[in-house]
Amino acid sequence: MRVGRSDLIRAMKIGLSIVVFAMCAGAARGQAANGPGLVPADYQRMRSVVQAAISPDGKFVAYTVLRFDRPGRPWPQLWVLDVASGKSTRIGGEQDVAGSPVWSPDSKWIAYAGAAEGKHGLAIVHPDGSAATFLSEASGTNAPLPGTGAEITWSPDSKQIAFISSTPGPETAEANGDPMVITRYMYKPDASEGMTRFNDNRRLHIFVVDVASKAVRQLTSGDTYEHSIDWSPRGDEIVFVSDRSPETDQFFNYDLFALKVSDGSIRRITATENAEYDPKFSPDGKMIAYRATKRGLTDRETTMEDTHVWIVNTDGSGRREFATIDNRQGAPVWSGDGRAIYFTVQERGSVHLYRQAIDGTKAERIIDGAVSAGSESVSKAGAMAYTLSTPGDMGELYLRGAGAGASAKQITELNKEVLAGKQIAEVEPFTFISNDNKYEVEAFLVKPLGMTADSKHPLIVNIHGGPHGQNGPMFNFRDQAFAALGWATLHVNYRGSTGYGQAFADAVFGDQDGNEAQDVLYGVSAALRRYLWLDRERMGIEGVSYGGQLTMWLITQTRMFRAAIPIAGISNLISYNYMTYYNQYEQMEFGQLPHQDDLMNLMWERSALKHIAGVATPTMLMHGENDNDVPIAEAEQYFIALKDVGVETVFVRYPREGHGIRESGHVVDSLNRAIDWYEKHFPKGAVEHASPAVP
């Protein structure tokens, strides 16, 4: 079982921003070693809480800590907090990998994905770390399955555990033979997997293990994928998510189903044209809360439509949209008494936590401010554990008492030693009016350390991916490392970003490399005019995924930047469409397939590669060798084109990487190269006669 192929993977994918950019400043450089800020070498000493699970009786909290101190990818450790004593106990040894904790209903056991008795898979352990027991092997798949939820769920009597594992599909043998015979439309693996080149064609199914005897039985089979499971409090059924449509590779349409545990029979709960995610039974077993979209075409990877929380009766009747806040919402969590639902909402660069009563009263914001809340977990009595990142630190564990007006307390301070004596750069939000006067766009400027009354400072423009994502004021190690060097960083939540309502997210529809790119340029212009200490002659631009695409595009349109670093970017919208691991993306973003009408010509017109002759900015391309989301051919084309034009360019290819850069050694290397690239091309000192802000 892949540790955390549910909450943990979701937390790590929040993701590319945490592991690839937000914290990828973990390097071995020391330019700011004598200064007050974080030095790149501090990265590998930092840690982040990414999962929290409070026991039903409220006496313990299991939580997962993500570490960055190994040469490979970030790795998780499982800990348990005794609420009364405040003491935390690690599950397993110092080097053991474990995560995805799920409490038994009687609060006596924690099921988790990790090691026990010398084996790795599904295991259980007591809250004090004793009696760690291996129950079953469990395998995953590298197939592209978006939005998968819980993989472990207990029976209400705490005697059985349902879990997700994989079995070979009908194509597996031929697709791995010599020669390899490909028959599936979606024949490539998950975007971020990076270790293989092809879909393993294994199917996910539901299994049940008896805790006492360790006897395992398989409950589902066939060519479909079942995941995102929850056991009914009544004990008779397990709800799950699956796509049972005829062309599951080409169309993405999750629905909710219920599996009868006694005989394996399956009944359908929803039959919609949209996608459902993360089902969770109410405590009385009468309702199911879940996330869903409404549109007929929902993308498999980055979804334009915001997910909202919905409710349906267990028999499939009474389906209704529950939380109508006009912003992207997270997975629902029931209150202990079943009278309310908790869920997160992306809002203006932050992630807040809401509570809404089942009787339909207005949603109440429980956690707000410049924070990112997540992984909320509620006890029967109403106490809550959750993770929270702030402008001053990565994710930490918090605990909130039961009852109205209960206070919250920070439990962990994992980075106290690293941050001791360090100055954290200030993040200042500002807004500006878009080029077409249609939108108020928000940006976040991370100010440099060491400013004086007459000092001038470089500016790095960091563009977020998606395009349906957001940047905000949360702690970002890369930004802090730049700030310690005396550099500012600008994040612009251009149209298409989440956290500003559905209309704003939709505003990029049919207009890639269009007005959203102008939003970035206008954001730069607004920053330069408001913050006179920014040095117009020392500006760099970078981004991952869609941020890499916009970086490639913008340097064909302007020469204001001295250096550029596109990471995992798309240079040719047409070739990308036919090489990526999924197809719905361009169809969703433009409303039709590329070969229909004149869309192919529009896509070529909006491809940076077509306008390569306009580039003069020195460019360092970075790309994962096994990227199946944005195949490395996108960087290969751009690299050769830049060489043809005569632009100074370097192409850095990272083996074993998928979409983005995750291995600690690669993260270190990428930041070292980025700093060197900017320093090489920034003029020394400020320049009096600056170039214009917008070309």
Side-chain angles (χ1 to χ4, degrees):
M1 175 180 289
R2 277 193 274 172
V3 172
R5 207 192 130 80
S6 51
D7 289 342
L8 179 57
I9 291 300
R10 186 180 297 122
M12 291 177 69
K13 278 186 175 179
I14 287 173
L16 279 169
S17 61
I18 291 178
V19 179
V20 179
F21 252 2
M23 300 187 299
C24 82
R29 297 179 62 95
Q31 290 95 325
N34 297 319
L38 287 162
V39 299
D42 290 329
Y43 161 74
Q44 290 180 307
R45 299 169 55 208
M46 298 196 75
R47 302 180 185 187
S48 179
V49 180
V50 295
Q51 291 175 319
I54 193 168
S55 60
D57 62 11
K59 294 180 179 180
F60 300 94
V61 178
Y63 60 100
T64 305
V65 175
L66 201 62
R67 299 179 57 164
F68 309 93
D69 53 353
R70 286 183 179 176
R73 298 186 180 190
W75 60 287
Q77 277 190 329
L78 184 58
W79 291 77
V80 180
L81 167 76
D82 182 318
V83 174
S85 68
K87 178 184 176 182
S88 286
T89 301
R90 186 182 63 236
I91 302 301
E94 173 63 26
Q95 299 301 315
D96 284 346
V97 173
S100 300
V102 181
W103 285 95
S104 61
D106 62 10
S107 299
K108 294 180 179 179
W109 292 96
I110 304 166
Y112 65 97
E117 300 181 306
K119 300 177 182 178
H120 195 279
L122 174 64
I124 57 174
V125 68
H126 286 311
D128 63 1
S130 66
T133 305
F134 177 81
L135 292 182
S136 175
E137 293 183 353
S139 59
T141 177
N142 66 2
L145 297 173
T148 55
E151 289 189 336
I152 301 170
T153 182
W154 287 82
S155 63
D157 61 7
S158 299
K159 293 181 179 180
Q160 299 180 85
I161 300 173
F163 64 98
I164 299 298
S165 189
S166 67
T167 60
E171 317 88 350
T172 302
E174 273 201 311
N176 289 279
D178 184 359
M180 300 176 71
V181 181
I182 305 298
T183 56
R184 292 188 66 175
Y185 181 87
M186 192 163 288
Y187 66 91
K188 294 184 177 183
D190 184 68
S192 60
E193 194 252 4
M195 305 303 290
T196 60
R197 298 300 297 274
F198 299 99
N199 191 332
D200 61 20
N201 299 302
R202 296 178 67 87
R203 301 305 199 272
L204 296 180
H205 293 302
I206 302 173
F207 294 74
V208 166
V209 60
D210 181 81
V211 173
S213 68
K214 299 186 181 181
V216 177
R217 57 192 177 104
Q218 183 173 343
L219 298 186
T220 63
S221 60
D223 298 343
T224 55
Y225 297 87
E226 292 91 35
H227 53 81
S228 308
I229 54 177
D230 190 45
W231 207 311
S232 167
R234 300 179 178 184
D236 57 338
E237 291 186 320
I238 295 171
V239 66
F240 66 92
V241 166
S242 186
D243 187 346
R244 300 297 173 99
S245 57
E247 300 292 341
T248 57
D249 278 5
Q250 290 176 268
F251 300 98
F252 173 45
N253 183 20
Y254 285 166
D255 273 300
L256 304 185
F257 297 82
L259 168 73
K260 193 172 183 179
V261 178
S262 61
D263 61 13
S265 60
I266 294 173
R267 66 179 179 88
R268 181 184 284 268
I269 298 175
T270 64
T272 68
E273 61 177 335
N274 46 272
E276 284 81 16
Y277 311 82
D278 299 307
K280 192 71 176 177
F281 279 106
S282 60
D284 62 8
K286 295 180 180 180
M287 293 181 288
I288 298 170
Y290 60 97
R291 289 187 303 137
T293 55
K294 295 179 181 178
R295 299 175 183 176
L297 183 60
T298 299
D299 179 44
R300 189 178 292 268
E301 196 255 7
T302 177
T303 306
M304 186 181 295
E305 182 186 357
D306 290 339
T307 53
H308 286 186
V309 174
W310 289 63
I311 290 179
V312 65
N313 294 327
T314 306
D315 63 5
S317 66
R319 185 173 65 92
R320 63 186 176 94
E321 186 175 358
F322 174 68
T324 56
I325 297 170
D326 183 21
N327 259 323
R328 189 155 303 203
Q329 299 165 19
V333 175
W334 288 91
S335 63
D337 58 11
R339 296 179 180 177
I341 293 176
Y342 294 89
F343 54 94
T344 58
V345 179
Q346 295 182 23
E347 293 180 308
R348 303 187 72 91
S350 294
V351 181
H352 298 142
L353 182 64
Y354 279 77
R355 181 185 188 274
Q356 184 170 335
I358 291 299
D359 63 13
T361 56
K362 185 178 179 181
E364 173 191 7
R365 190 183 292 161
I366 302 298
I367 299 174
D368 61 4
V371 298
S372 181
S375 194
E376 64 277 14
S377 174
V378 185
S379 72
K380 288 181 179 179
M384 177 189 293
Y386 57 95
T387 64
L388 193 75
S389 58
T390 65
D393 200 356
M394 295 180 186
E396 298 283 4
L397 176 64
Y398 284 71
L399 188 62
R400 184 187 183 97
S407 60
K409 179 182 179 182
Q410 181 176 344
I411 302 300
T412 61
E413 290 183 288
L414 300 180
N415 300 312
K416 184 176 181 179
E417 259 186 53
V418 186
L419 298 177
K422 300 289 186 178
Q423 187 176 339
I424 300 300
E426 176 190 355
V427 182
E428 183 171 310
F430 65 90
T431 60
F432 59 92
I433 301 302
S434 63
N435 64 297
D436 54 4
N437 301 316
K438 290 184 177 180
Y439 301 101
E440 180 183 77
V441 182
E442 188 167 30
F444 295 86
L445 184 72
V446 185
K447 295 183 177 180
L449 302 182
M451 294 178 63
T452 64
D454 57 355
S455 59
K456 284 281 191 177
H457 299 268
L459 175 66
I460 308 299
V461 179
N462 184 328
I463 310 174
H464 73 69
H468 311 297
Q470 63 170 7
N471 278 338
M474 256 46 67
F475 182 89
N476 181 311
F477 196 101
R478 186 180 184 91
D479 292 352
Q480 294 297 329
F482 285 164
L485 298 174
W487 302 355
T489 303
L490 178 68
H491 301 278
V492 178
N493 282 338
Y494 51 84
R495 69 191 71 185
S497 300
T498 53
Y500 300 88
Q502 189 60 64
F504 193 81
D506 286 340
V508 74
F509 179 78
D511 192 34
Q512 286 201 8
D513 294 338
N515 280 305
E516 92 284 27
Q518 291 300 314
D519 289 344
V520 175
L521 291 184
Y522 269 60
V524 175
S525 176
L528 291 173
R529 290 168 178 164
R530 298 179 193 196
Y531 304 98
L532 302 182
W533 45 264
L534 290 173
D535 189 344
R536 297 167 180 256
E537 295 300 321
R538 291 186 291 168
M539 295 199 301
I541 186 169
E542 60 181 36
V544 178
S545 192
Y546 200 88
Q549 173 182 324
L550 279 179
T551 300
M552 290 173 166
W553 172 261
L554 284 171
I555 61 175
T556 72
Q557 306 297 304
T558 179
R559 298 186 177 185
M560 71 165 66
F561 301 107
R562 291 286 185 164
I565 306 177
I567 301 178
I570 301 170
S571 65
N572 183 340
L573 296 179
I574 297 173
S575 62
Y576 162 77
N577 182 79
Y578 297 105
M579 293 188 301
T580 183
Y581 79 96
Y582 65 103
N583 173 263
Q584 296 93 341
Y585 172 67
E586 297 291 11
Q587 185 180 2
M588 181 194 71
E589 293 289 337
F590 286 96
Q592 61 189 101
L593 292 165
H595 65 267
Q596 295 175 320
D597 295 331
D598 196 43
L599 182 55
M600 198 85 73
N601 288 328
L602 173 60
M603 291 172 68
W604 177 236
E605 178 61 34
R606 292 298 179 87
S607 296
L609 190 63
K610 182 190 177 186
H611 305 279
I612 197 70
V615 180
T617 306
T619 302
M620 179 166 62
L621 299 158
M622 293 182 177
H623 218 107
E625 193 72 39
N626 292 341
D627 189 342
N628 288 294
D629 185 323
V630 178
I632 198 168
E634 292 302 306
E636 291 172 335
Q637 294 176 77
Y638 205 71
F639 174 71
I640 294 299
L642 288 172
K643 287 287 190 182
D644 288 344
V645 173
V647 175
E648 181 184 357
T649 183
V650 174
F651 186 10
V652 184
R653 305 168 68 114
Y654 290 100
R656 301 178 304 282
E657 297 286 11
H659 192 50
I661 302 168
R662 286 175 171 77
E663 288 191 15
S664 295
H666 291 163
V667 166
V668 168
D669 180 83
S670 69
L671 187 74
N672 280 334
R673 293 178 187 276
I675 293 173
D676 286 343
W677 191 250
Y678 290 134
E679 288 185 333
K680 177 181 178 181
H681 295 98
F682 285 166
K684 305 303 178 186
V687 179
E688 272 193 45
H689 304 290
S691 56
V694 177

